[in-house]
Amino acid sequence: MIFAILEHILTHISFSIILIVIMIFLINFLVYEIEGLRNSSEKGMITTFLSITGFLVIRWISSGHFPLSNLYESLIFLSWSFSIIHMILYLGNPKNYLSAITAPSVIFTQGFVTSSFSTEMHQPAILVPALKSQWLMMHVSMMLLSYAALLCGSLLSVALIVITFKKKIDFFFEKNQFLSLKKKRKSFFFSEMEYLNKKGSVFQNTYSLSFQNFYKYQLIQHLDYWSYRFINLGFTFLTIGILSGAVWANEAWGSYWNWDPKETWAFITWTIFAIYLHIRTNPKLKDKGTNSAFVASIGFLLIWICYFGINLLGIGFHSYGSFQLISN
């Protein structure tokens, strides 16, 4: 009873703080960035991380097993994984703009899991015989940590694509503006002076835009760097998760691989991110950052299909985390 009350309190604390953090982020993004509000939002994220951590520890103690037995607990763990990534980036650099990717990931995941499940789904369930294994913690935690890292890396790749195309569009319009003014050169003195003034303003704008392009270039490089680091880490976790899952499957079902829907989509996801790493590390390929970013954006969709889509259908051997099982 005490554990249930503590879980209830921590869940509502995290959800309430998440709502406040969302409002702060919207004010800073849409109205005006205030340093004090930014610091408050980061403190709110730290409090949310501690609340989620406390929830997982209490659920572990009360249930007697690692809290990864159903979809509700796995989503809580995914939100906790996002918050770990956010904390690492924040502690490394408090003004790191990458929090614009990690913080909303925590916000939306925690908000969804807190508000979208009924009270019955929040109750800890007794493990089915197939889940009573030491591989539960190893396999599922590695898969969820890989999902969190790969999703963050993929979102950074999507941001890289958007900024790259915006940069190309700005350069195109800048070039056309300069050429159109150059063609309008006139022979009269006043017109010549007017032209020179316009030309000077164009060069001034071009000079200003060159700095903007330089900062955009730095931003693109930074996004590419961290996207590669996150995806590389997530790919390692995904590989460990698939291998440990194969060993667990052999113990539970007598076969290392059964082409279960979950296994199949995990293999497809692994293949896509293997292609990403090949493109990203191949010195012979040109424009590696943009091309690999497109592959990562495809991987973003595949992760949600593998993790959430299969659970919605509730098919295959991995139906333990489906909505159908939780609602029974």
Side-chain angles (χ1 to χ4, degrees), residues 13-22 45 48 106-107 110-111:
I13 287 176
S14 63
F15 184 65
S16 301
I17 294 174
I18 282 295
L19 291 178
I20 297 173
V21 171
I22 288 175
M45 293 298 299
T48 300
V106 181
I107 289 170
Q110 185 65 17

Side-chain angles (χ1 to χ4, degrees), residues 1-21:
M1 183 65 181
I2 297 177
F3 289 125
I5 294 174
L6 289 175
E7 288 180 6
H8 183 76
I9 292 173
L10 290 173
T11 301
H12 282 75
I13 287 176
S14 63
F15 184 65
S16 301
I17 294 174
I18 282 295
L19 291 178
I20 297 173
V21 171

